[in-house]
Amino acid sequence: MLLIPCPWCGPRDETEFSYGGEAHIARPKDPHALSDEEWADYLFMRKNPRGRHLEQWVHAHGCRRWFNVERDTVSYRINSVYKMGERPPRGRK
Ligand SMILES: [Zn+2]
């Protein structure tokens, strides 16, 4: 079981959280200008990497705030958490 460090509440059991998918997926500035393929890419295509992954989580049964988690998908180790609007650690997306 994961122990997830909420930036506001501190470490809590993963059962208090809900996963929100990959972080830093930006909504297109002009959605009407996108082709069907580009729109499908925005909606459905995600990186699904082996290793470092930037994810969104919400503390659903706590403070109910969203934040980002840098997690290793192989070891499940959480390397860092950071608030929405902040840059990911090491400046990478
Ligand atoms: Zn919290």
Side-chain angles (χ1 to χ4, degrees):
M1 187 160 301
L2 280 175
L3 195 62
I4 299 175
C6 174
W8 293 274
C9 307
R12 296 289 192 275
D13 192 282
E14 72 172 285
T15 58
E16 294 186 13
F17 297 85
S18 293
Y19 178 69
E22 184 177 327
H24 307 290
I25 304 294
R27 182 174 175 81
K29 288 190 166 74
D30 185 6
H32 298 289
L34 267 56
S35 69
D36 289 347
E37 185 174 301
E38 290 168 328
W39 189 245
D41 185 59
Y42 161 70
L43 290 175
F44 304 115
M45 300 306 289
R46 298 296 179 258
K47 292 177 185 159
N48 194 25
R50 177 180 169 82
R52 183 179 186 259
H53 192 226
L54 303 176
E55 308 169 333
Q56 300 177 102
W57 287 80
V58 62
H59 195 180
H61 300 287
C63 64
R64 304 180 73 174
R65 291 181 176 172
W66 285 89
F67 58 98
N68 294 314
V69 171
E70 177 195 16
R71 184 177 64 89
D72 188 301
T73 60
V74 177
S75 67
Y76 282 71
R77 180 169 182 247
I78 294 174
N79 295 314
S80 64
V81 297
Y82 54 102
K83 297 175 183 174
M84 289 294 182
E86 293 181 350
R87 297 179 61 86
R90 291 185 270 162
R92 293 181 5 195
K93 279 191 172 181

